Structures are given as C-alpha cells and as structure tokens.
Amino acid sequence: MFTIASLWIPFTIIAALGQVARNAMQRSLTKPLGTWGATNIRFLFGFPFSLLFLGLVLLATGDHLSAPPAVFWPWLLLGALSQIVATGLMLLAMNDRSFVVTTAYLKTEAIQTAIFGFVFLGDHLTWLKVLAIMIATVGVVITALRPGGDKSFAELKPTITGLVAAAAFALSAIGFRGAIINVPDVSFVTAASITLVLGLFVQTLILTIYLLWRTPDVLRGILRLWRPSMLAGFIGAFASQFWFLAFALTAAANVRTLALIEVLFAQAVAYYSFKQPIAPRELAGIALIVVGVAVLVGA
C-alpha cells in the first residue's frame, strides 16, 4: 500500500518507461528532421496533450488556477531552457554512439542532480541515499565504458556530449521542481500539471521561433511527419506528467536516481529494436544500478 508521500516511486517508474519509448521515437525522427526538429517534436506535439491532462486534473481535484507567483518563473525558465539544450545534446550523442551507452552517460545526471538540489533547493539527503546514488552511478559508468575502444576525438566527442547533456538534464530537474513547489494553494497534482503546461509552452515557443528563423523547411517536415510526431509528443507529455508528479513529492535526486532503471528498459529496446548485443560488463553495471536503486527505495 503506497502512501501519498511514496507515490513518487510508481510515478518515476511509469515516467522512465515512457521516456525510453519517447527517446527511441525521437531517435528515429532525427535523420529526416535533424537534431532540433526532432527535439521540437516532444514540445510542439506534447503541449496539446499537457493541456488535456491539466483539464482532467482540474475536473478531478476541483482546484482553481491563479497566476503563479514571481518566484515561480525563474525556476520554470531554468527547467525549460536547460531541457531544450539537454534534449538536443542527447540526440546528437545518440547519433554517434549506441542507444544504451548514450542512455548510460545521461544517467550520470543523478549525482549531478543531488549536488544541484542541495545547493539550489536545500534538498536533504541521508547518507544512505547518498550511498545509493553513488552505487547506482558507478553502475552507470561501468555500463558506459568501452575498454580498448578508439581513444580519438571522434570517440570522446559523444562521451563529452552525453555528460554535458546529463548536467543540463540535472539543472532542468532542479528548475522544474523549484517551480512546482512554488505553486501555492493547489494540490501537488495541479501544481505539477500547470508547471508542465507552462514549461512546454515556453519550450514550444522558443524552439519553433528558432526553427522558423533558421530552418523553416524543418517545420514543414515536422508537419509532413505528423503521425509519428503526434505519438512521440503524446508519449513525451505522458512521461513528463509523471516526472513532474514525482518532483512534487520528493527531492529531484531521489527521482533521478530511481530513474536509472531506465537503463534496463533501454537495454531491452536496444536488444529487440536496434539489435545491439548486451555485453557481460553491461550486465555487471546493471546489477550495481539495481542494488543502488534498491537501497534508495528502502532507505
């Protein structure tokens, strides 16, 4: 039986499943649309679904909306802008390395989120939870390393890109949690939902204006591929809804550490969809991730 406070656990698991599916869809759209075109799909096509989710939440809770306070907006902009950068860098890295390895680099985000959360939000983590984050992060690193691989810049570039994307995702998580906890006088579900709507609106506006200015043909390409884009947008909005619900209930570091189970889901996607084999080293890393997540949830 879950209490309200512990609902962040199933929320995070659902979000992680949705995110792996969305990432795989975006990856398949990167070639025809380019990096920023594929990035805009999650925002442009996700925004209408976020409005639908908010409407359903308001009907269910009876909450009334009011203008968020001034302190809400800097956090929202930090989350929205960091996520744009992070998503673009993620897709760039996925073009250069395997789907699983890129996902593994991105999951170094957990330790960075813990640091940023402590510095910017004063999020408290017990020593046991810090240990869990470290164990799971070591598992991610083991999964990502490629002993004996090419050491040229061409090999280092996607590594650095993935790590910087992880830092941007960490800042995004902190920004969105900071925005959610500053929405007053409504339930945590409504606070999460209105933050998602406004975040996607800002992201859609910024990236669409950029594409109109630099590559209008990409927007026409997005419209031509509206069927797969619509599905990717729905899955993205669905995953984001549950990420935001989890952020409303616990420290961002807890959410992003439990989200390391995404690596397990990514392994399955890579194996069955992209036919990428799973090495024994990756299995060892996965075992550490599972141990770290188990310690976190049990702490």
Side-chain angles (χ1 to χ4, degrees), residues 30-248:
T30 300
K31 185 174 181 179
L33 298 177
T35 298
W36 294 114
T39 299
N40 196 32
I41 282 172
R42 69 174 294 185
F43 307 134
L44 179 64
F45 288 89
F47 177 64
F49 291 109
S50 71
L51 289 172
L52 175 62
F53 298 157
L54 176 60
L56 294 174
V57 165
L58 293 177
L59 285 175
T61 63
D63 285 337
H64 297 283
L65 295 182
S66 58
V71 69
F72 169 89
W73 295 103
W75 290 115
L76 182 78
L77 290 174
L78 173 64
L81 297 177
S82 296
Q83 194 174 54
I84 289 175
V85 172
T87 304
L89 291 174
M90 175 192 72
L91 293 175
L92 282 174
M94 283 182 176
N95 284 339
D96 293 329
R97 297 201 70 163
S98 80
F99 181 74
V100 171
V101 170
T102 298
T103 300
Y105 281 131
L106 292 173
K107 293 304 106 182
T108 61
E109 167 197 352
I111 187 64
Q112 300 184 65
T113 302
I115 295 170
F116 293 150
F118 175 76
V119 172
F120 295 116
L121 294 175
D123 284 341
H124 174 69
L125 296 175
T126 65
W127 283 108
L128 190 58
K129 288 186 176 181
V130 171
L131 177 63
I133 294 170
M134 295 299 294
I135 291 172
T137 301
V138 169
V140 168
V141 172
I142 290 174
T143 304
L145 289 176
R146 297 178 66 186
D150 185 7
K151 306 299 182 183
S152 69
F153 178 77
E155 188 70 18
L156 289 176
K157 179 182 175 182
T159 300
I160 294 171
T161 302
L163 292 174
V164 174
F169 274 125
L171 285 173
S172 176
I174 297 304
F176 285 133
R177 172 163 164 77
I180 291 167
I181 63 178
N182 280 290
V183 178
D185 304 324
V186 293
S187 66
F188 79 91
V189 180
T190 300
S193 300
I194 188 61
T195 302
L196 175 60
V197 167
L198 293 175
L200 285 175
F201 174 76
V202 169
Q203 290 167 324
T204 300
L205 182 66
I206 290 174
L207 205 49
T208 300
I209 289 173
Y210 173 79
L211 291 175
L212 279 172
W213 173 47
R214 295 297 301 271
T215 53
D217 287 345
V218 170
L219 284 178
R220 287 190 284 270
I222 290 174
L223 294 178
R224 286 195 298 270
L225 295 172
W226 67 271
R227 290 181 185 274
S229 297
M230 186 71 72
L231 180 58
F234 169 75
I235 296 297
F238 178 82
S240 294
Q241 180 73 29
F242 281 92
W243 285 131
F244 281 35
L245 289 172
F247 289 148

